[in-house]
Amino acid sequence: MRQRTIGTDPATRREVSALALGAMNMGTRTDEKTSFAILDRYVEAGGTFIDTSNNYAFWADGGQGGQSEELIGRWLRDRGVGDDLVIATKLGARPLAPGTGYTDNAEGLSARAVREAAEASRERLGLERVDLLYAHIEDQRGVPLEETVEGFADLVREGSVGLLGVSNHSVWRVERARALAASAGLPGYEVLQYQHGYLRPRTDIGDPLCADGDIGGAGSDLLTYMRAEPGLTLVAYTPLLGGAYVRDDKPLPRGYDHPGTTARLAALGEVVAETGATPNQVVLAWQMGHELPIVPLVGASTVEQLDELLGALDLDLTEDQRARLDAAN
């Protein structure tokens, strides 16, 4: 499988596969036997980049999450693998009590919360060191950004964490955190995990985390920031919109109801017809060949679904096809 480098420091940077595998539903909606089979197939195909979070999937049973990390830990022990894999997890959005959520009762990003959550994640995963640790959402409790930056940096200094990443944060907060880290000589965020795909959603629709608009999507502000900071990598979650490209029972999510969607779907359909590939494969190939460093993060509930997505690795779009996909608005 094609590889991409994440991180810039020779001491912590890693080579990862061009396609990352998400484990959000593993251990809950996807049973253990099926989850193990999906993980096995991914590694067999050369995949090395597995993504989870300490709050996955609290909504499945009204608990606090951790099932995904626990399942990955069992799989790592059972298969005797690990050194060649990059395991990424997230903290900050785990509910503090069953029956609550990340919008009303999240653990947050205080130095204490960061340390305790990271230790618990390592225990569930059975790892002495987490290769990549993300701040999952912005702290909702008013914790000073300096405290969060120093809390993450302490884990890197101690060797229990390798690379640092950030997800679902306003770009100005990402830049401020990185500037604080740089001025103090501390490691900062180098991997960005945001929603990104071929269709462009509206960014003016707020949610419980930000009433002013969507901060979880890779909009123009984030992409132009990446152009100015070439050491950053984007891990793109939900690139296939939950199956909406290929399933009639999966409508496009809220926010895609604008004329640009029609134009881009038409361009996508043309390339699908020309290549004989599936829409999912074309979207993933478009992302992996992007001029910016983008690693699509995909999920699968069956081995057959994963095999379809792995087919994108063998699809090379022509310059003309890519230009037509890019130009559609």
Side-chain angles (χ1 to χ4, degrees):
M1 192 180 292
R2 284 177 279 171
Q3 301 290 299
R4 186 177 289 281
T5 302
I6 57 173
T8 57
D9 187 336
T12 55
R13 69 188 180 200
R14 296 294 301 269
E15 293 292 313
V16 298
S17 52
L19 193 65
L21 178 65
M24 182 171 69
N25 292 321
M26 293 185 180
T28 51
R29 293 177 180 172
T30 306
D31 64 63
E32 184 153 322
K33 180 180 179 181
T34 304
S35 298
F36 275 36
I38 292 168
L39 290 163
D40 289 343
R41 177 69 184 106
Y42 176 69
V43 172
E44 177 189 3
T48 62
F49 196 9
I50 299 172
D51 181 271
T52 185
S53 173
N54 73 342
N55 73 339
Y56 292 164
F58 76 86
W59 53 89
D61 62 1
Q64 294 172 269
Q67 300 97 324
S68 174
E69 289 182 330
E70 291 169 352
L71 182 139
I72 291 172
R74 291 192 296 272
W75 174 77
L76 289 171
R77 290 189 296 274
D78 186 78
R79 299 306 195 252
V81 296
D83 291 345
D84 295 332
L85 302 181
V86 173
I87 307 297
T89 193
K90 314 174 196 74
L91 56 78
R94 181 179 169 91
L96 288 172
T100 62
Y102 61 83
T103 60
D104 61 338
N105 195 29
E107 63 194 347
L109 296 173
S110 68
R112 178 178 177 179
V114 167
R115 175 169 295 279
E116 291 180 350
E119 290 176 353
S121 287
R122 289 200 307 275
E123 182 176 349
R124 284 188 288 268
L125 290 164
L127 299 173
E128 294 184 3
R129 172 184 165 112
V130 173
D131 301 300
L132 169 58
L133 183 66
Y134 292 96
H136 200 166
I137 61 172
E138 293 184 358
D139 184 274
Q140 304 293 307
R141 300 174 183 273
V143 172
L145 199 52
E146 293 86 347
E147 180 178 342
T148 299
V149 168
E150 292 169 2
F152 274 95
D154 283 345
L155 299 179
V156 177
R157 177 180 53 80
E158 295 166 6
S160 60
V161 171
L163 290 166
L164 299 178
V166 62
S167 179
N168 304 310
H169 279 57
S170 302
V171 177
W172 71 265
R173 290 185 67 87
V174 176
E175 166 58 17
R176 184 168 295 180
R178 283 170 45 80
L180 286 168
S183 65
L186 301 174
Y189 302 137
E190 295 189 271
V191 184
L192 314 174
Q193 186 171 140
Y194 286 76
Q195 196 281 320
H196 177 271
Y198 177 60
L199 299 184
R200 295 168 173 161
R202 291 172 54 187
T203 59
D204 60 323
I205 301 176
D207 59 34
L209 293 178
C210 181
D212 297 318
D214 177 30
I215 60 174
S220 59
D221 51 352
L222 187 78
L223 298 178
T224 55
Y225 181 53
M226 288 183 64
R227 295 182 192 279
E229 298 288 340
L232 297 174
T233 301
L234 173 62
V235 173
Y237 71 77
T238 323
L240 304 177
L241 302 178
Y245 287 110
V246 295
R247 292 178 55 178
D248 293 336
D249 62 329
K250 290 278 189 175
L252 289 173
R254 176 174 177 244
Y256 290 88
D257 53 341
H258 57 81
T261 294
T262 303
R264 285 177 89 81
L265 284 175
L268 177 62
E270 291 177 4
V271 175
V272 166
E274 293 166 5
T275 60
T278 68
N280 286 340
Q281 291 168 342
V282 172
V283 170
L284 295 176
W286 173 81
Q287 281 188 313
M288 288 186 284
H290 201 283
E291 60 183 311
L292 293 172
I294 297 175
V295 179
L297 172 60
V298 299
S301 57
T302 67
V303 172
E304 291 74 20
Q305 287 180 359
L306 178 61
D307 280 336
E308 183 219 341
L309 306 182
L310 290 171
L313 294 160
D314 298 320
L315 176 61
D316 292 317
L317 301 177
T318 67
E319 291 185 10
D320 175 68
Q321 288 167 340
R322 185 169 293 278
R324 283 184 281 133
L325 288 169
D326 290 341
N329 289 295

